[in-house]
Structures are given as structure tokens and as C-alpha cells.
């Protein structure tokens, strides 16, 4: 009897990425894991992306499955892919990024070896020439197999990107990305982790995140408040999860995602009125959860004090904010 490896559905949302799409699709059709379907979801692109998708679909009809839909944003395109996925596992790759040839083979093997519903790999930031600009190790100092009940610090330490993870499909039975929301990964991926008993990881840097030089500088606005809304959504699910008594890790999650991630966004808000209103909302978020300045300053990520690990510029910004020196911050910004 011939062994058939588990099927992986790789969802690729596409929106106006004609300069990068071919490299992304090349990395997927050349995966060493053969039992894959690549669901390429054209989310209303206005450039030549659709022409490229059709070329690949004709050349690799057994792997590439093309779809076109009206523009609905990243979450909507991913949800479209989830709805039609036929694999045992689901992965997400952004259409301007690319991956190593062995990514999905190794991650599927780890999922089956440890009966893990989620598998994580490391990320490399690369420039447009393929040079590595930054290595992002996701879970240092832990084994391949991670029992969450005894290593639940992972919940508050993890970076919640969707694209460097492999998910068992049944995690999405009742879950989808929140349409129209920003920071949709922070909103959904922690909820999926709460459904897991075991996760697995590889220390290989399989996911190549492209830092584009042609991308339009994003305006930082009150949309950043979606970070706090995402944390609030996770809190609701947390309280009814199997880990509901692990309140220390919940508080650390609130500090890392709800405060530090929010402040990293707030630092680039140029509109003064928006800056102050968002600052007030963050202070209310902290007060509602009884999070003290001491808790934030003492927060450790992967057993290292997080604030001390940051670059000097970020340290100064955070410390001034915690000291209530918003006017001074505005002058510096």
C-alpha cells in the first residue's frame, strides 16, 4: 500500500503584487512536500497579478488553484481560502514573501510526529536582493515538542504572525479572521493556540519576509485601536478556555500585545489629537485590567526583561510615556 502524505492547503491572498508574485509562487510549487494545493486568491487586483496567476495555473494545474473575488481585504481573502481548503493542514503565505523548499514538509512531519495542531518556524526579514536583514527567532530555548500546560509562558511570549505557522484544519471549524479589522493575526491566532494541547516548532528560518522599498508609507491612525480590540476578543475566549486559570500569562499577554505593541504603533501617529485620544484609551485599558507601571517594567519575554532588550530610542519613548510625559514625547516625535 502506497503511503500518501497529509495534504496541505497553502492560502495566498493576492492584491497588486505583480513585482513579487512569481518569486512567491516559485517557492510554493517547488515544495518538497508534494501533496499540496496552492489556493491563490486574487482579492480584486488592478495590476498584472491575475495574468501571472493564470500563467502559473496553466503550468502547474495539479498544484495551483486560482480564484478571483471582489476586494475585501486580507482577512476576507484568507477566509475565502479557508472555506474552500481541502487539506488536512492549512498554511498562509503573503504574496510578496517566499519560503524555503522544505518548509511545509518539515512542518507537516512535526505536526504528525507530535500530534500538534500548530507548528511554528522562524522568520527572516530579507531585502529585495535576498539579503537577510534580520533574524526573528520565535521560541528560543525550547524543544521541538512543547506541552502548553507546562510551558504556557509561550502564550504571552509568542509573536502571533499567521504566515510562519502550520495549522491543523479543524482549528478553523468555528474560527475565522475578523473581516475589516486591522491586526487580525493578534485577534485570531492566540484563540487558535488556546485550542491546542501540544504545539511543535523548528528552529529553521523557513519564512522569508520581504521588506519592500516601494511600499507606500502607512499612515498611523486610530486604526491602531484595533490592537486593543483584538486583545479584548482574545480575553473573552481565554476565560472559557482550558487555560483560564493561568492569569499570570494572560496579564503578560495584555502587557506585550496590548501595551508594548500598541505603543510601538502609537509612536508613529503624527496627528496630535489622535495621539492623545489613543493614549487616553491605552491608559483606560491599563486601569480596567489593573495593570501597573511596575508590571510593565518588570515584564519578561523568554526569561529576559523585555524593556531592557529594546533599542535605546524605544526605551526612551516607553519610559517617557509611562512617566506621563506625553507633551515631551510629542516634541521629540
Amino acid at each position: 500500500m502506497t503511503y500518501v502524505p497529509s495534504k496541505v492547503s497553502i492560502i495566498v491572498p493576492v492584491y497588486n503584487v505583480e513585482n513579487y508574485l512569481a518569486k512567491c509562487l516559485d517557492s510554493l510549487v517547488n515544495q518538497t512536500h508534494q501533496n499540496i494545493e496552492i489556493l491563490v486568491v486574487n482579492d480584486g487586483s488592478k495590476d498584472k497579478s491575475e495574468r501571472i496567476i493564470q500563467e502559473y495555473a496553466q503550468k502547474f494545474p495539479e498544484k495551483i488553484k486560482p480564484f478571483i473575488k471582489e476586494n475585501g481585504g486580507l482577512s476576507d481573502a484568507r477566509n475565502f481560502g479557508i472555506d474552500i481548503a481541502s487539506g488536512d493542514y492549512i498554511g498562509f503565505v503573503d504574496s510578496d514573501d517566499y519560503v524555503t523548499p522544505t518548509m511545509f514538509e518539515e512542518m507537516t512531519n512535526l505536526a504528525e510526529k507530535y500530534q500538534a495542531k500548530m507548528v511554528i518556524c522562524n522568520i527572516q526579514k530579507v531585502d529585495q536582493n535576498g539579503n537577510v536583514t534580520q533574524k526573528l527567532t520565535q521560541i528560543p530555548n525550547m524543544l521541538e515538542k512543547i506541552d502548553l500546560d507546562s510551558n504556557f509562558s509561550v502564550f504571552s511570549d509568542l509573536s502571533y504572525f499567521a504566515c510562519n505557522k502550520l495549522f491543523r484544519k479543524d482549528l478553523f471549524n468555528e474560527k475565522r479572521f475578523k473581516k475589516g479589522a486591522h491586526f487580525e493575526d493578534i485577534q485570531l491566532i492566540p484563540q487558535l493556540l488556546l485550542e491546542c494541547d501540544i504545539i511543535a516548532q523548528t528552529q529553521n528560518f523557513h519564512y522569508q519576509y520581504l521588506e519592500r522599498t516601494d511600499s507606500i508609507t502607512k499612515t498611523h491612525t486610530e486604526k491602531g485601536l484595533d490592537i486593543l480590540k483584538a486583545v479584548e476578543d482574545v480575553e473573552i475566549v481565554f476565560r472559557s478556555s482550558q487555560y483560564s486559570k493561568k492569569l499570570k500569562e494572560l496579564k503578560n499577554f495584555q502587557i506585550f500585545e496590548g501595551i508594548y505593541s500598541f505603543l510601538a504603533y502609537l509612536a508613529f501617529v503624527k496627528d496630535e489629537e489622535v495621539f492623545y485620544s489613543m493614549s487616553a484609551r491605552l491608559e483606560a485599558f491599563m486601569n480596567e485590567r489593573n495593570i501597573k507601571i511596575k508590571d510593565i517594567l518588570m515584564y519578561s519575554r523568554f526569561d529576559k526583561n523585555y524593556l531592557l532588550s529594546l533599542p535605546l530610542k524605544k526605551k526612551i519613548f516607553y519610559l517617557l510615556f509611562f512617566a506621563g510625559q506625553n507633551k515631551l514625547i510629542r516634541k521629540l516625535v
Side-chain angles (χ1 to χ4, degrees), residues 234-248:
V234 173
E235 289 169 347
I236 292 167
V237 175
F238 186 93
R239 292 186 189 106
S240 59
S241 76
Q242 60 185 315
Y243 303 109
S244 59
K245 293 183 179 177
K246 295 184 180 289
L247 298 179
K248 177 187 174 186

Side-chain angles (χ1 to χ4, degrees), residues 20 27 40 50 81 100 112 163 167 203 220 237 252 265-266 298 331:
Y20 310 100
S27 75
V40 187
E50 180 59 24
T100 65
E112 302 200 324
C163 292
F167 306 91
Q203 287 296 320
H220 286 231
V237 175
N252 282 341
Y265 184 94
L266 184 65
M298 296 297 289
K331 286 180 182 177

Side-chain angles (χ1 to χ4, degrees), residues 80-99:
F80 183 97
I82 294 167
D83 290 341
I84 58 176
S86 63
D88 306 290
Y89 297 93
I90 289 178
F92 301 95
V93 176
D94 286 345
S95 50
D96 48 1
D97 299 334
Y98 54 97
V99 300

Side-chain angles (χ1 to χ4, degrees), residues 89-90 107-108 110-112 114-121 139 144-146 148 154 158-162 164-172 185 188-202:
Y89 297 93
I90 289 178
M107 294 177 80
T108 304
L110 286 170
E112 302 200 324
Y114 299 118
Q115 293 299 295
K117 291 183 179 181
M118 185 185 296
V119 183
I120 300 163
C121 73
I139 309 178
E144 280 185 345
K145 178 183 179 183
I146 299 171
L148 284 179
V154 167
L158 200 58
S159 295
Y160 283 109
F161 307 110
N164 68 323
K165 297 173 179 66
L166 183 72
F167 306 91
R168 209 164 77 187
K169 189 186 177 187
D170 61 10
L171 283 176
F172 294 95
D185 289 1
L188 179 64
I189 309 305
Q191 295 186 41
L192 302 183
L193 186 76
L194 293 170
E195 296 289 324
C196 301
D197 300 310
I198 302 291
I199 63 171
Q201 69 151 339
T202 167

